[in-house]
Amino acid sequence: MKNFNKADYKICIVGLGYVGLPLAARFSLKGFNVTGFDIKEERINQLLNKTDINNDISDTNLEILVNNSKLTSNIDEIKQSNIFIITVPTPINEDKTPDLEPIKASSKLVGNIIKKGSIVIYESTVYPGVTDEICTPILEEKSGLIFNKEFSTGYSPERIVPGDKINTIEKIKKVVSASNEKTLEIISSLYSSIIEAGIHEAPSIKVAEAAKVTENIQRDVNIALINEMHQLFTSLDIPTKDVIEAASTKWNFMKLSPGLVGGHCISIDPYYLMHKSLMSGYTPNLMRTARKINDEMDQWVLNDFINYINSKNLDLSNTKVTVLGYTFKENCSDTRNTKVKNLLISMRNKNIKFQLWDPLITEEDHLELNKLGIETIKLEPKETNIVMICVNHNQFNSFLENYNGILYDFKHRHSS
Ligand SMILES: NC(=O)c1ccc[n+]([C@@H]2O[C@H](COP(=O)([O-])OP(=O)(O)OC[C@H]3O[C@@H](n4cnc5c(N)ncnc54)[C@H](O)[C@@H]3O)[C@@H](O)[C@H]2O)c1
């Protein structure tokens, strides 16, 4: 954009979690006037003490952010901002419908303070229509300003992957969209200043919203297919890993492995689009079936584990199993929506004796698990003769190299 001047923009990032913190740090590193806002005072205090429990950005970038920007949970300190970027959670309710409360609450909060000329950009993952049909009316009502005349909106989905230290925010192409042409130019220039991989301008906010859920649903569906294949190949005693190795020699084969699909993106986002789909009268079939397969994978793992133990003529009633890994994926400390939790609860309900070892989980995770009656250990087990791998962190390598007992790894399961 011609005449783009950094000094004209006071950016406020609303929600400093996995998405908001790296974004705030990146704008700060590039010399923008940034304020990071989070309703959770404890999170702000930790960050001010230069601690990020998510371990998501480098110490240097956290230091730059803390020294050069304001981090606050005081709304008065963000009133001067003219660009608001909303990165709050978009979870699901018990009944698996979208829980839009955080995004509505943050829209109310921002709507109460925006002034003429402000731009509100949403980065949270939503179904198409949430920005235009739910958030914008809240902003209009709370601010009393005229949409697209006195304030405008944008949507730019975040595509970072938790725990991925290679594909970091600046290296991932950013999809941007806006409620009008002039705002799109500003938003593109803002993100172009921080993203090395470049910008893709989507023709509308709804397209950008739909693109994000499509990316994640495509992954969910393809993993479900591999999970189904794995269940079949296990029953046929064909090693899935070898099948995947052979099939992936074809140039257009998508190489995925079976897994317990958890986390707060792939296991959640399909429910957002399915909700929108049902509202519009279209019944989604494939994505619903895929979700069901992935959602029930932990039960298949449990049954398969019991079959495996029986095939070895072992008696689970007089031995203690050591379960390796609890987080939702390998080498990542995030435990949100981990499917291992369901698996462990089922094991507990079946009176299988076990202990869990995951060096990446926090003290709070230990306490929560212990409250559920699940025994956790913090160091390598001394004596164990049945090990069940659920999430294979690199930290287990040296233990597994020296371990000679029974090893059950649901991903690499066949009888020999
Ligand atoms: N984590 C990822 O890798 C990732 C990747 C792509 C997209 N997303 C999407 O980005 C969004 C945010 O995800 P996240 O992982 O950063 O969540 P998170 O839970 O790590 O962080 C969200 C932060 O927002 C704060 N918050 C909640 N309500 C607020 C409010 N009303 N005002 C201000 N702050 C508020 C919370 O205290 C928390 O610190 C979600 O929609 C998610 O689906 C996440």
Side-chain angles (χ1 to χ4, degrees), residues 14-20 37-40 43 54 87-90 102 105-106 109 123-125 158-162 212 264-265 269 336:
V14 181
L16 295 175
Y18 282 90
V19 167
F37 175 84
D38 201 292
I39 42 167
K40 219 171 166 188
R43 173 72 170 158
N54 298 341
T87 58
V88 299
T90 43
S106 56
L109 184 141
E123 285 217 7
S124 302
T125 307
E158 186 46 69
R159 308 162 107 184
I160 52 170
V161 173
K212 171 66 194 179
H264 66 301
C265 289
D269 301 347
R336 288 177 293 176

Side-chain angles (χ1 to χ4, degrees), residues 158-212:
E158 186 46 69
R159 308 162 107 184
I160 52 170
V161 173
D164 188 335
K165 305 280 182 224
I166 295 166
N167 298 299
T168 43
I169 179 169
E170 70 280 7
K171 299 199 187 93
I172 308 169
K173 192 165 222 168
K174 198 92 172 91
V175 173
V176 293
S177 63
S179 60
N180 61 56
E181 274 303 314
K182 185 163 171 266
T183 303
L184 184 60
E185 266 189 58
I186 296 172
I187 293 178
S188 291
S189 300
L190 283 169
Y191 282 110
S192 294
S193 315
I194 62 160
I195 305 289
E196 291 163 6
I199 299 295
H200 173 90
E201 290 185 355
S204 70
I205 285 178
K206 279 184 183 156
V207 166
E209 289 170 326
K212 171 66 194 179

Side-chain angles (χ1 to χ4, degrees), residues 12-128:
C12 174
I13 310 290
V14 181
L16 295 175
Y18 282 90
V19 167
L21 184 67
L23 188 66
R26 192 72 196 146
F27 275 116
S28 183
L29 185 73
K30 290 291 171 181
F32 281 88
N33 178 324
V34 178
T35 305
F37 175 84
D38 201 292
I39 42 167
K40 219 171 166 188
E41 226 171 288
E42 191 193 346
R43 173 72 170 158
I44 296 294
N45 290 335
Q46 282 169 352
L47 294 174
L48 290 173
N49 287 324
K50 298 178 186 156
T51 306
D52 169 27
I53 51 158
N54 298 341
N55 193 23
D56 226 22
I57 60 171
S58 69
D59 292 346
T60 320
N61 286 354
L62 183 56
E63 178 112 20
I64 292 170
L65 176 69
V66 173
N67 293 342
N68 298 353
S69 306
K70 189 175 282 172
L71 302 180
T72 183
S73 38
N74 179 352
I75 190 163
D76 290 332
E77 296 193 298
I78 62 171
K79 286 184 172 162
Q80 296 313 312
S81 307
N82 54 8
I83 302 284
F84 293 87
I85 305 183
I86 298 189
T87 58
V88 299
T90 43
I92 48 170
N93 299 306
E94 285 274 302
D95 64 359
K96 306 208 160 150
T97 54
D99 173 6
L100 294 174
E101 277 319 306
I103 207 162
K104 285 182 182 168
S106 56
S107 299
K108 284 178 194 158
L109 184 141
V110 167
N112 278 323
I113 57 173
I114 49 171
K115 293 188 275 311
K116 279 188 184 169
S118 294
I119 297 175
V120 185
I121 305 164
Y122 291 86
E123 285 217 7
S124 302
T125 307
V126 290
Y127 57 77

